[in-house]
Amino acid sequence: GRGSQWDLACHPLSARRKMVVLEDLSVRVSVARAHADFVANASHELRTPLAAVLGYVETLEDDKAGGDPDTRKRFLGIIRHEAQRMRALVEDLMSLSRIEAVKHDAPTDPVDIAALVREAAGEVQDRAKVVITGNGDSAIVAGDRGQLAQVLRNLVDNAIKYGKADSPVRIEVDNSGSGRIAISISDDGEGIAPEHLPRLTERFYRVDAGRSRAAGGTGLGLAIVKHIAERHRGWFDISSRPGQGTTATVILPLKKEISPSE
Ligand code: ADP
């Protein structure tokens, strides 16, 4: 509480030490506040679909409304949709906490980026056309294969959700020889206004919450991407031209070649 902060600050310590204690406390207070906000947001996101599910179940149990087969079918469809939303949210929350738990261990699987990109394109082949360009041949990242697959899945999913319906998703792999590899996913959708760009990786930040929810979004996809990129000593970047499209890029350090003589 506030009282204990002042108690500590008034302890017979040097002025410098007091400053350090106060700074440390203010960092801890803001971390605690961010955590409380996160829990409140997550609870709110779960409560909304849960209330809908309970409401429709109660209506179905009521013979008058629940008796009509068309109504039943429609309500069951809504219940399924809301339950799927809750499942997606719980899965993303679990992903975030798993990533947090291992963030200090360097990932070590040798991951073939070209193969990973082909797999990500294959996973969505019945939902969208994906065009792969660039050179990822023989690019190996020391990574966590499952996490890197999730990065591509989240970015390709966004390009499909927010892209233009009849336009392909483009994945470009740029292995420029700088010891890093850049994987960019582009769409021809509506794009994102510049003021939103710096905040997109915040948990639950959405430009249009209604559209995100309707598309099955949780608001956690890019937060997950950023965490995974950073765990791999890489980073995430997103650029957009409103009205034309968006490019999301992940840059990862390549695994160092170890020559046989070493
Ligand atoms: P969501 O589950 O809402 O898609 P994300 O964390 O993946 O959550 O993305 C956060 C927000 O960023 C989205 O709600 C959307 O507003 C915006 N966004 C992400 N990718 C794109 C894109 N390719 N085009 C336009 N907007 C995007």
Side-chain angles (χ1 to χ4, degrees):
R2 190 153 298 218
S4 59
Q5 281 174 51
W6 288 112
D7 292 347
L8 266 173
C10 297
H11 230 257
L13 294 166
S14 72
R16 202 186 137 68
R17 175 90 183 102
K18 281 181 199 167
M19 286 274 291
V20 170
V21 169
L22 275 174
E23 270 166 27
D24 179 49
L25 275 168
S26 77
V27 167
R28 263 191 272 167
V29 167
S30 68
V31 167
R33 188 165 302 148
H35 183 74
D37 286 350
F38 173 62
V39 172
N41 281 331
S43 308
H44 176 77
E45 293 286 336
L46 276 171
R47 195 155 55 181
T48 311
L50 196 53
V53 165
L54 288 174
Y56 283 103
V57 167
E58 276 164 26
T59 314
L60 282 174
E61 283 172 344
D62 167 15
D63 279 343
K64 240 188 315 128
D68 172 42
D70 285 346
T71 310
R72 277 181 69 85
K73 206 168 162 201
R74 197 163 61 80
F75 286 6
L76 284 170
I78 297 169
I79 290 169
R80 168 189 284 275
H81 175 80
E82 297 298 326
Q84 281 166 338
R85 255 179 74 186
M86 287 190 276
R87 182 174 61 191
L89 183 60
V90 168
E91 278 170 4
D92 278 356
L93 288 170
M94 283 168 60
S95 289
L96 268 177
S97 92
R98 275 196 300 264
I99 299 160
E100 279 285 300
V102 295
K103 75 175 176 191
H104 298 297
D105 321 334
T108 54
D109 307 340
V111 181
D112 177 336
I113 295 299
L116 200 72
V117 166
R118 281 195 299 271
E119 251 174 62
E123 273 179 31
V124 297
Q125 63 186 354
D126 46 346
R127 283 197 292 148
K129 185 170 158 54
V130 180
V131 176
I132 302 170
T133 58
N135 186 1
D137 292 347
S138 71
I140 306 293
V141 165
D144 179 315
R145 198 169 202 292
Q147 287 188 356
L148 293 177
Q150 185 169 18
V151 163
L152 294 183
R153 196 179 308 127
N154 289 1
L155 297 180
V156 170
D157 250 16
N158 281 351
I160 297 173
K161 280 190 301 200
Y162 307 111
K164 200 162 134 196
D166 50 4
S167 202
V169 169
R170 296 181 303 282
I171 307 183
E172 190 187 338
V173 183
D174 180 7
N175 183 7
S176 58
S178 58
R180 297 193 191 103
I181 189 153
I183 310 160
S184 298
I185 289 96
S186 304
D187 64 65
D188 302 317
E190 278 167 37
I192 305 161
E195 66 268 25
H196 296 291
L197 294 176
R199 299 196 58 190
L200 295 180
T201 58
E202 289 175 20
R203 293 162 182 200
F204 298 117
Y205 188 88
R206 293 146 152 146
V207 176
D208 178 343
R211 178 160 183 198
S212 157
R213 292 201 182 93
T218 61
L220 295 173
L222 295 183
I224 290 173
V225 166
K226 178 177 182 245
H227 272 72
I228 295 176
E230 288 174 357
R231 182 182 172 222
H232 287 77
R233 291 177 295 118
W235 67 91
F236 170 66
D237 190 31
I238 189 161
S239 67
S240 188
R241 289 185 183 205
Q244 296 190 39
T246 300
T247 297
T249 304
V250 176
I251 293 153
L252 300 168
L254 289 170
K255 189 172 159 68
K256 282 207 190 63
E257 292 299 331
I258 297 175
S259 63
S261 60
E262 279 182 67

